Amino acid sequence: MDNNIKGKIKSYYGGIAKKVSSNLKASCGCGNACCGNISDNANIYTKEYLEGLPEDAVNASLGCANPVVLAALKKGEIVLDLGSGGGIDAFISSKYVGEEGKVYGLDMTDEMLELANKNKEKMGVNNVEFLKGYIEDIPLDDETVDVITSNCVINLCEDKEVALKEAYRVLKQGGRLAIADIVQLKEVTEDIKQSVEMWVGCIAGALDIKLYEDILRKVGFKEVEITPINLYTKEIIQDIAKQKNLEDIYNQINSDLLDGAYAGAHVKAYK
């Protein structure tokens, strides 16, 4: 990933972790349907998923859908959550795999890892471990995990093929990918794709849905399914701009071209 983009992303999400630690609500600036804050989580997670989780884990949730419901986890499975943030999906997963299972959370941001480990202490869970690293270079051996989850993170990675190839590498034979991500449904202008600020805002880095499918198959995945579940209207994208102080950029964009160009999606595939 371009250092400017990666640096902006690390700085932004590190800042979110600090806000949550200071008892402020987090928002990645993606409106009600994407990367939501605490007030939006009812639209992403039902009560059964959030029950028993520390408030700071929920407040730091910045996802676009619930990947755990897609994963259909079983007792004893080993899970890797890419871009684990404050730990919400890792902690939810830990309840389903049980003490005989294991959940790894991977994040590149020191502040988020610190927050996640604090939340781990609050929960008193023994089957969750948080690792520092990049999704393009996962610090686990080949064929280590049964399931990979992720929530609104792959779209932030500039080289999706490398990240998805790494995901394929660490999955066991027969393992599955079950992630929530932002996808592009129709063509947008090149200036949006190149905007660092909009990368951080979850938009510019999103892959065309057909290209996403092609990359997954190229790196080896089978039975690929990508299902859009939350369509982003121009009003939602305008809300992104307002929340992230990007209105000057938004005002230079033909909003009609962005209307329905992006969606939160469930992505599932098998090794």
Side-chain angles (χ1 to χ4, degrees):
M1 181 182 290
D2 179 272
N3 286 334
N4 191 26
I5 294 172
K6 181 172 285 185
K8 285 265 191 178
I9 291 170
K10 288 181 75 171
S11 176
Y12 182 72
Y13 286 93
I16 287 174
K18 290 177 180 177
K19 286 181 180 179
V20 172
S21 296
S22 300
N23 297 316
L24 298 174
K25 293 178 181 179
S27 173
C28 81
C30 290
N32 292 334
C34 154
C35 302
N37 57 30
I38 180 65
S39 63
D40 304 318
N41 279 321
N43 297 324
I44 297 176
Y45 302 96
T46 57
K47 183 179 179 181
E48 66 176 290
Y49 289 100
L50 298 179
E51 190 172 358
L53 267 63
E55 185 178 355
D56 283 352
V58 179
N59 282 354
S61 173
L62 302 165
C64 54
N66 181 353
V68 183
V69 71
L70 182 68
L73 299 173
K74 303 177 183 66
K75 294 287 185 183
E77 288 191 313
I78 300 173
V79 180
L80 169 62
D81 185 44
L82 300 176
S84 48
I88 184 170
D89 292 317
F91 296 134
I92 293 172
S93 296
S94 74
K95 296 190 289 185
Y96 287 90
V97 302
E99 287 300 321
E100 59 268 50
K102 173 86 173 185
V103 181
Y104 293 101
L106 178 67
D107 206 279
M108 68 179 181
T109 310
D110 289 329
E111 294 88 347
M112 278 296 187
L113 288 167
E114 182 180 355
L115 178 62
N117 280 308
K118 286 181 180 178
N119 288 328
K120 177 183 172 180
E121 289 182 17
K122 290 177 183 177
M123 282 196 70
V125 293
N126 298 314
N127 61 346
V128 177
E129 179 180 351
F130 293 102
L131 307 172
K132 183 177 180 180
Y134 299 105
I135 62 177
E136 305 97 324
D137 187 18
I138 298 171
L140 290 174
D141 293 335
D142 295 356
E143 300 191 1
T144 302
V145 302
D146 298 294
V147 187
I148 289 179
T149 61
S150 183
N151 202 342
C152 198
V153 170
I154 301 298
N155 61 297
L156 294 174
C157 175
E158 192 171 33
D159 197 332
K160 275 79 167 173
E161 184 172 334
V162 171
L164 293 170
K165 188 174 182 179
E166 273 289 274
Y168 185 86
R169 178 185 66 80
V170 301
L171 273 176
K172 299 176 183 179
Q173 289 295 326
R176 60 197 183 277
L177 183 78
I179 65 178
D181 206 8
I182 310 301
V183 296
Q184 181 185 316
L185 303 180
K186 66 181 185 180
E187 192 58 43
V188 296
T189 58
E190 194 63 29
D191 58 332
I192 286 295
K193 293 180 182 179
Q194 298 300 321
S195 169
V196 172
E197 288 80 7
M198 295 307 279
W199 270 84
V200 179
C202 308
I203 295 297
L207 279 179
D208 172 82
I209 193 168
K210 178 63 168 61
L211 179 58
Y212 209 139
E213 292 172 348
D214 290 344
I215 291 174
L216 284 166
R217 293 190 177 96
K218 181 180 179 181
V219 302
F221 283 103
K222 302 174 182 178
E223 299 180 52
V224 175
E225 296 179 15
I226 301 180
T227 308
I229 55 174
N230 294 318
L231 185 68
Y232 300 154
T233 64
K234 61 183 179 182
E235 288 80 15
I236 288 174
I237 295 174
Q238 183 178 27
D239 190 43
I240 295 172
K242 287 181 178 179
Q243 291 185 44
K244 296 184 64 60
N245 297 316
L246 299 175
E247 289 180 280
D248 288 344
I249 293 175
Y250 180 83
N251 290 335
Q252 298 173 35
I253 300 169
N254 183 340
S255 60
D256 289 332
L257 295 179
L258 289 179
D259 198 25
Y262 296 97
H266 276 155
V267 181
K268 192 165 187 178
Y270 293 83
K271 180 170 180 177

